[in-house]
C-alpha cells in the first residue's frame, strides 16, 4: 500500500506544484483569513503526504518493487474514474484541465498524458 501511495504522491505533488499552484497562490491575499486558510490547506495537502510516505520508506528500510508497476497503473485508472465521478457529483471540474462534462475525451487524454510523463 505504501508503494502505491508513494507513486501517487510523487505524481500528485509534482503536478500540483508545477501546474496548479502557480495559478492558485498568486491570486490569494494572505491578509484575508479565507485566503490564508486556502494557502495553508493547499500547502499541507500537497506536502505532508509525500513527506510521510518518503519517511516511511526510509525509516522502515522498505524496498519498492519495480515488478509491481501494474498496481500503480490500475490505481491510476481507479483515480480517473473517481475524478470524473467527483466532477459529476459536485457539478464543477475538480481540476481546471479536466472537464468531464464539456470534454470527456479531452479530460481522459489530459490525465493519461500526465500519467505517462
Amino acid at each position: 500500500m505504501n508503494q502505491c501511495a508513494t507513486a501517487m504522491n510523487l505524481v500528485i505533488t509534482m503536478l500540483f506544484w508545477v501546474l496548479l499552484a502557480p495559478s492558485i497562490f498568486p491570486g490569494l491575499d494572505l491578509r484575508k483569513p479565507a485566503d490564508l486558510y486556502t494557502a495553508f490547506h493547499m500547502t499541507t495537502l500537497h506536502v505532508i503526504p509525500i513527506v510521510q510516505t518518503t519517511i516511511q520508506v526510509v525509516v522502515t528500510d522498505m524496498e519498492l518493487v519495480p515488478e509491481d508497476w501494474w498496481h500503480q497503473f490500475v490505481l491510476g485508472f481507479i483515480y480517473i474514474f473517481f475524478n470524473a465521478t467527483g466532477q459529476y457529483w459536485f457539478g464543477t471540474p475538480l481540476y481546471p484541465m479536466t472537464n468531464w462534462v464539456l470534454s470527456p475525451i479531452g479530460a481522459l487524454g489530459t490525465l493519461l498524458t500526465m500519467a505517462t510523463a
Side-chain angles (χ1 to χ4, degrees), residues 53-69:
T53 54
T54 302
I55 288 172
Q56 186 73 19
V57 169
V58 172
V59 170
T60 61
D61 212 15
M62 182 183 303
E63 290 186 31
L64 302 178
V65 183
E67 295 81 26
D68 289 343
W69 64 269

Side-chain angles (χ1 to χ4, degrees), residues 29-106:
D29 180 358
L30 299 181
R31 293 171 296 194
K32 295 179 180 176
D35 286 359
L36 182 61
Y37 171 78
T38 298
F40 179 77
H41 178 68
M42 288 291 137
T43 300
T44 57
L45 188 65
H46 294 94
V47 170
I48 291 175
I50 190 70
V51 169
Q52 185 275 323
T53 54
T54 302
I55 288 172
Q56 186 73 19
V57 169
V58 172
V59 170
T60 61
D61 212 15
M62 182 183 303
E63 290 186 31
L64 302 178
V65 183
E67 295 81 26
D68 289 343
W69 64 269
W70 64 273
H71 294 158
Q72 285 68 246
F73 187 77
V74 169
L75 184 60
F77 275 102
I78 292 170
Y79 176 81
I80 289 172
F81 170 77
F82 281 105
N83 181 274
T85 302
Q87 177 181 338
Y88 286 110
W89 182 267
F90 291 112
T92 185
L94 302 178
Y95 302 105
M97 69 288 288
T98 59
N99 192 327
W100 292 98
V101 173
L102 295 179
S103 179
I105 300 299

Side-chain angles (χ1 to χ4, degrees), residues 101-116:
V101 173
L102 295 179
S103 179
I105 300 299
L108 179 62
T110 298
L111 289 174
L112 290 176
T113 301
M114 285 193 263
T116 60

Side-chain angles (χ1 to χ4, degrees), residues 7-17 45-46 79 95:
M8 292 294 286
N9 285 332
L10 285 171
V11 173
I12 290 167
T13 301
M14 287 189 289
L15 291 177
F16 174 79
W17 290 108
L45 188 65
H46 294 94
Y79 176 81
Y95 302 105

